Amino acid sequence: MKALTGNRLTDGEVVFWKQGAWVERFADAELFADAAAGEAAEAHAKSQQTVVVDPYLIDLVESEGLWAPLSYRERLRALGPTNHLHHGKQAEGGAAIEALQHASGSARSTGRVNLIKR
């Protein structure tokens, strides 16, 4: 399962694709079981370059009966700022937020971890 995400150009907000439009909540995102459908949506979204920056597909994992991003980075993006539980999208609470907070999966690094440790 996959979802399409990007950052809105006007304010940098993390947004998700839903049937031809961008929504702010991961819980509202359109999920793609078919890779071809996800790639078609990605191509359509990339043609709207004045709306979002670099839209891309993310992998999802089932969490508490709902779907959540597989990578830790994408879960953080979906929750909003994580400096305090009462900030960002996570402050809304609910089952979708709980699923995001309790999901587990891989975290990817492209070598930047060593730069951060310095």
Side-chain angles (χ1 to χ4, degrees):
M1 197 67 70
K2 294 187 180 285
L4 184 60
T5 187
N7 289 82
R8 194 168 42 213
L9 269 173
T10 56
D11 59 3
E13 182 72 27
V14 174
V15 291
F16 302 92
W17 186 260
K18 182 179 182 180
Q19 300 174 347
W22 294 101
V23 295
E24 293 184 0
R25 305 290 175 253
F26 174 77
D28 298 331
E30 181 177 354
L31 306 181
F32 301 100
D34 178 24
E39 291 168 4
E42 182 180 19
H44 179 68
K46 285 184 176 182
S47 70
Q48 300 178 342
Q49 292 180 3
T50 58
V51 179
V52 298
V53 177
D54 193 29
Y56 58 95
L57 290 167
I58 57 174
D59 293 318
L60 305 178
V61 63
E62 193 170 352
S63 172
E64 299 183 11
L66 300 171
W67 291 96
L70 175 63
S71 87
Y72 182 68
R73 175 186 186 269
E74 296 303 334
R75 288 193 301 273
L76 288 178
R77 289 180 74 244
L79 287 169
T82 57
N83 58 338
H84 194 280
L85 292 176
H86 300 289
H87 294 167
K89 297 172 184 173
Q90 63 192 341
E92 297 172 2
I97 298 298
E98 291 286 323
L100 285 168
Q101 290 173 329
H102 296 124
S104 61
S106 66
R108 292 188 218 160
S109 170
T110 57
R112 292 176 289 193
V113 172
N114 290 334
L115 291 174
I116 294 169
K117 289 180 180 178
R118 289 185 192 175

